[in-house]
Amino acid sequence: MRKILISINPEHVAKILSGEKKFEYRTKAAKRDVDSLIIYETTPVKRVVAEAKIIEVIELPPEELWNETKRQSGISKEFFDEYFQGRKVAYAYRLGEVKAYDAPRELSFYGIKSAPQSFVYLRG
């Protein structure tokens, strides 16, 4: 079971936990197969708060990706367009079951010193 730890801002974490956001968009995707996203909530929380199963990774031109995922994107078209501006390829992790941790964890629990800009592979 491969996992990646990914930094996500609090607004998007809340939408993932509520089920409103079923896709996590990225300009880069993991090159290795991964089964789960470990979610690090950025400032002000600064803790690992949840884990989400990855159903699939979608790789498409931005407009096609938006058309396929917009109903469960949890973001505006404007935010999406700004995020992928100038990109020919866009990625989305389709999220399955999401489990919030009872007690948020420090990055040190995973042997990590600082939050990743994009993502980091985890052992195990």
Side-chain angles (χ1 to χ4, degrees), residues 66-103:
W66 177 255
N67 289 335
E68 185 171 320
T69 62
K70 63 186 172 188
R71 283 182 217 79
Q72 296 179 309
S73 68
I75 61 173
S76 69
K77 176 71 161 85
E78 293 75 23
F79 183 92
F80 180 92
D81 287 344
E82 187 176 312
Y83 185 69
F84 288 114
Q85 184 175 9
R87 302 267 179 183
K88 291 186 177 11
V89 177
Y91 301 90
Y93 292 101
R94 183 187 306 266
L95 305 178
E97 178 185 0
V98 178
K99 179 185 170 218
Y101 296 148
D102 292 333

Side-chain angles (χ1 to χ4, degrees), residues 27-58:
T27 57
K28 297 177 190 172
K31 296 206 184 322
R32 302 181 211 160
D33 286 338
V34 289
D35 305 301
S36 298
L37 290 182
I38 306 301
I39 299 171
Y40 173 81
E41 189 168 343
T42 59
T43 302
V45 176
K46 296 188 189 175
R47 298 280 186 281
V48 178
V49 298
E51 182 170 340
K53 296 290 181 198
I54 298 171
I55 296 172
E56 70 175 322
V57 181
I58 305 168

Side-chain angles (χ1 to χ4, degrees), residues 5 7 40 106-108 110-120:
L5 186 135
S7 298
Y40 173 81
E106 299 282 343
L107 286 171
S108 59
Y110 299 93
I112 298 171
K113 292 185 179 24
S114 61
Q117 285 296 312
S118 180
F119 66 87
V120 64

